[in-house]
Amino acid sequence: MDRDKLLGLYRQMLVLRHFDEMCLDLKMKDLIMDGFHPYSGEEAVAVGVCTNLRPDDAVISTHRPQGHSIAKGSTPRQIFCEMLGRRGGVSQGIGGPMQWIDTPNNFFCGSIVGSGITIATGIAMAMKREGKGRICVCFFGDGASNTGSFHEGLNLAAIWKLPVIYICENNQYGEAMPVREFVSVYPISKRAASYGLEGVMVDGNDVEEVLAAVEKGVTAARSGDGPVFIEAITYRTRGHYGGDPEYTYRTRDEVEWWRKKCPIARCKARLLEEGVEESVLIALEQEVVRELESDLAWALEQPFPTVEQATDHVMIPLAEGGRLK
Ligand SMILES: Cc1ncc(C[n+]2csc(CCOP(=O)(O)OP(=O)(O)O)c2C)c(N)n1
């Protein structure tokens, strides 16, 4: 891959990692008022996938959406605000840490596990009818592959040859349960074949491999060849949520083993091999951190929604005093 392109991917992954670690810190300080689910360790998937997309393509995500949203075009400022429930967010701070909509970037997420799969399938159906070559990408976890929505969605997408790409981020756990204890067919990508989809498995910690597989899938989906299923094997190096007692269900050795496979460290090693000076990479990371610190400082200055604004999009009218009738 071209050195500058790889450098761009590296920078994006650094943004996602530092953004995530800063959010975890905010959560532990109780400044995020709903559940925060870290994405650290999985950055190569979001970046490898979204780099292949057009602005008018849609992305549907779930309860761990921050990396996907930023990779699709939301700014860290906006997503910090959404996390903190501030007015400057993509959904004016009333979406919260896992259910926002970024309309200009065609990005949507929701916290009901698996529900995005049928929503993405429906959006892809509309896109096919529209005929403009747009596609819809759906991110979900290994646990979501056990929901009814998964089976309904894949079946319809295959029958109607819909322009949808399903990205299963297999991060090895559904909350505290290891994937091999709750999935009957392994790898999960094998399940795709039973619905007539090609199931591809990639190393989700290798941004170049993810990018190449998705590029192929995007070309197929855009040209009318129908849906594609990609399982990215990865790992969340933080707990399921901020505050998760993670070492009750997995060992420190296991987490350490996966940390050594860090997608960002791996990309850095590739860049060094390509002849990029380490000082350039260090300066780049410092710049990313500085920018994020300034974004967070800005977000912390933004106002919270008023009670009236918090119900701007609720159809039941408020009684006097801001209470529901
Ligand atoms: C329908 C539904 N059931 C249960 C939950 C509670 N829940 C939140 S995250 C989660 C685990 C999901 O695992 P997976 O799909 O593998 O995603 P990951 O958290 O690993 O990214 C569960 C069960 C939920 N949000 N929605």
Side-chain angles (χ1 to χ4, degrees):
M1 178 185 293
D2 170 58
R3 210 168 91 159
D4 285 345
K5 188 167 181 185
L6 193 58
L7 202 56
L9 300 176
Y10 179 67
R11 190 183 198 286
Q12 278 199 61
M13 289 197 289
L14 282 175
V15 171
L16 266 50
R17 172 67 57 88
H18 286 288
F19 179 88
D20 220 74
E21 294 292 313
M22 288 162 81
C23 285
L24 183 57
D25 185 51
L26 292 170
K27 176 68 204 169
M28 300 320 283
K29 289 179 179 150
D30 226 8
L31 290 168
I32 294 179
M33 283 165 279
D34 194 359
F36 167 69
H37 300 88
Y39 192 62
S40 283
E42 306 187 34
E43 297 86 354
V45 190
V47 171
V49 170
C50 293
T51 302
N52 282 293
L53 302 181
R54 300 193 326 213
D56 63 345
D57 290 331
V59 168
I60 309 295
S61 175
T62 178
H63 56 282
R64 212 179 290 286
Q66 56 276 11
H68 307 144
S69 196
I70 295 173
K72 183 63 174 55
S74 314
T75 65
R77 278 187 172 209
Q78 292 171 313
I79 305 306
F80 272 136
C81 281
E82 219 41 67
M83 290 285 172
L84 294 161
R86 310 287 175 123
R87 232 28 209 159
V90 283
S91 295
Q92 295 95 46
I94 53 177
M98 51 182 156
Q99 35 235 348
W100 65 77
I101 293 176
D102 179 354
T103 316
N105 283 304
N106 291 297
F107 180 87
F108 314 85
C109 59
S111 59
I112 302 175
V113 169
S115 63
I117 302 171
T118 35
I119 294 171
T121 308
I123 291 174
M125 183 176 78
M127 286 174 159
K128 182 169 179 156
R129 292 168 70 123
E130 184 192 48
K132 291 187 181 158
R134 297 165 76 194
I135 62 169
C136 184
V137 167
C138 182
F139 287 98
F140 55 91
D142 36 278
S145 73
N146 275 350
T147 63
S149 180
F150 175 91
H151 305 283
E152 291 176 38
L154 265 61
N155 185 51
L156 277 182
I159 290 172
W160 292 334
K161 282 191 171 298
L162 300 180
V164 53
I165 303 194
Y166 299 107
I167 307 284
C168 177
E169 290 182 291
N170 180 353
N171 63 11
Q172 314 301 320
Y173 287 90
E175 293 199 352
M177 189 176 280
V179 60
R180 283 181 190 272
E181 287 181 28
F182 63 78
V183 167
S184 58
V185 176
Y186 211 81
I188 296 171
S189 46
K190 252 187 171 177
R191 286 184 162 179
S194 48
Y195 296 103
L197 271 74
E198 190 194 352
V200 180
M201 190 167 77
V202 293
D203 180 341
N205 283 19
D206 181 341
V207 70
E208 291 178 271
E209 191 177 325
V210 177
L211 189 123
V214 176
E215 195 170 26
K216 251 177 89 184
V218 165
T219 307
R222 250 194 240 299
S223 59
D225 289 351
V228 176
F229 185 98
I230 296 175
E231 176 184 10
I233 306 295
T234 184
Y235 194 79
R236 59 166 165 75
T237 47
R238 294 290 187 183
H240 172 64
Y241 59 92
D244 181 13
E246 58 185 301
Y247 298 116
T248 53
Y249 62 85
R250 61 183 191 177
T251 63
R252 285 175 199 274
D253 283 350
E254 180 185 299
V255 178
E256 235 2 84
W257 189 82
W258 277 96
R259 276 188 199 279
K260 291 201 180 94
K261 291 163 77 81
C262 170
I264 300 177
R266 196 138 142 200
C267 188
K268 185 174 180 178
R270 284 269 302 112
L271 285 162
L272 292 171
E273 253 173 53
E274 291 285 323
V276 180
E277 292 287 331
E278 183 154 32
S279 58
V280 171
L281 300 178
I282 293 172
L284 184 81
E285 185 158 8
Q286 286 168 344
E287 178 193 288
V288 164
V289 171
R290 261 197 315 276
E291 280 177 16
L292 287 172
E293 280 170 352
S294 136
D295 290 338
L296 177 57
W298 179 86
L300 284 164
E301 297 276 296
Q302 302 311 301
F304 289 104
T306 61
V307 174
E308 286 72 22
Q309 287 169 336
T311 53
D312 267 356
H313 303 283
V314 177
M315 298 195 74
I316 304 169
L318 286 180
E320 281 192 16
R323 296 197 174 279
L324 285 176
K325 274 181 189 162

